[in-house]
Amino acid sequence: MDIWEQPGSDVRLEWGGEGVAALGGSCSVLVVVDVLSFSTTTDLVTARGGRVLPVRWRDERGVAEARGAGAVVAGEGAWTLRPSSVTEIPSGTLLALPSPNGATLCAAAAATGAHVLAGCLRNASAVAAKAHELADGGAIGVIPGGERWGVDMLGEGKEFGPLRPCAEDQLGAGAIVAALLRRGRSASPEAALAAAAYTATDVAAALRGCSSGRELAATGHENDVTLAARVDVSETAPVLSAGILEGK
C-alpha cells in the first residue's frame, strides 16, 4: 500500500481530485464534501425526494445526456447550484447539477469503483452512518473538494487554477469524521485534524467569515451560507447509484 493512501486508519482524508486519486484504490467508500455549494444543494434536493445527476463542469456532452435522461439542468430555470434556489423543489425532480468541484469529484470518485456519497454539514451524521454501513469494515475516504484559484463561474475561461483548501469544506469533512469516530472508527492524522477543527469551531461564524462565505454575502446570497451552516438538520444520505445521487 502506498503511504499516500494513509494505511493503518479506516477513516482517511485528502483534498480534491488528487485526493480521489490517492484514496480511491484503497477505500470502500468515498464521501465528497463541497459545502458551498454542491453538497448542500444536493442535500436539500434529496431531502425533498428529488434526485441529483452530477455533471462535470463545462461538460456539454454530459449536459446533453442529462437532458436526454429527462433531467432539468440547473441554471436553465429557477433552480441553480445555489442552495436557496431549491428549498421548494418538488419531490421526484431529477436535477442535473454541474459544478467545478462537487459534481466533478463525484464523477471521478465513481470511476474508482467505491461507493460514493455527497456530504455536508447539514447531513454529516446521516452520511457518516451510511458510509459506515456501506464500507462493511473497509476504509472510508473523506474528500473535501476545496476551491480552484482563478475559476470564473460565469466566464468562458476553461483553465482551472491550483487547489485552494477552504474552511467550509474542512469543517464539513471534520463533522463527518467526528461522527465516524463516534462509531468507533480510527482516523488518520489528516482526518483527525479535520475533526478537531470542527469540534473547536463556531461553525456558523466560520462560514460567515471565511472567504467563500464573504464572497456569497457580497453578491447578496447570505441565505445560502445560512443554509449551509446548519449542522445535522437532515437525515438524508445522498448515495450515488447509476450516476444519480438519491437520498437513502
Side-chain angles (χ1 to χ4, degrees):
M1 180 180 287
D2 192 293
I3 60 169
W4 304 111
E5 295 176 353
Q6 299 175 17
S9 302
D10 56 13
V11 180
R12 306 165 187 178
L13 182 147
E14 279 296 350
W15 285 82
E18 295 84 354
V20 170
L23 300 183
S26 61
C27 291
S28 301
V29 175
L30 293 175
V31 181
V32 172
V33 182
D34 181 4
V35 170
L36 294 172
S37 295
F38 174 84
S39 297
T40 298
T41 301
T42 294
D43 171 68
L44 287 160
V45 172
T46 56
R48 291 184 58 83
R51 298 175 295 157
V52 168
L53 197 165
V55 179
R56 290 179 183 271
W57 187 239
R58 291 176 177 152
D59 179 359
E60 293 303 322
R61 180 177 177 179
V63 169
E65 290 174 351
R67 291 195 188 101
V72 179
V73 179
E76 295 184 350
W79 304 315
T80 70
L81 185 60
R82 290 177 49 212
S84 57
S85 76
V86 300
T87 56
E88 302 297 328
I89 197 167
S91 177
T93 302
L94 176 59
L95 182 66
L97 200 58
S99 88
N101 299 306
T104 300
L105 290 174
C106 282
T112 71
H115 296 287
V116 179
L117 294 89
C120 61
L121 289 159
R122 298 177 61 88
N123 62 12
S125 291
V127 164
K130 179 58 68 172
H132 179 75
E133 173 191 327
L134 291 172
D136 192 25
I140 298 169
V142 181
I143 311 292
E147 302 288 347
R148 292 282 170 178
W149 287 106
V151 174
D152 183 354
M153 294 287 287
L154 301 177
E156 297 299 322
K158 298 185 183 298
E159 293 298 323
F160 282 18
L163 176 70
R164 178 176 72 82
C166 56
E168 67 273 15
D169 291 350
Q170 175 87 336
L171 293 171
I176 294 165
V177 174
L180 286 166
L181 291 176
R182 292 194 293 272
R183 291 180 172 273
R185 288 274 178 165
S186 64
S188 70
E190 292 84 352
L193 283 167
Y198 162 74
T199 302
T201 298
D202 180 334
V203 170
L207 259 67
R208 288 193 303 270
C210 71
S211 297
S212 301
R214 289 163 64 89
E215 180 183 38
L216 285 169
T219 53
H221 302 316
E222 296 96 335
N223 194 40
D224 291 333
V225 182
T226 299
L227 288 166
R230 300 185 69 192
V231 178
D232 280 341
V233 294
S234 172
E235 297 181 354
T236 302
V239 178
L240 192 68
S241 177
I244 294 173
L245 286 160
E246 300 186 64
K248 303 293 184 181

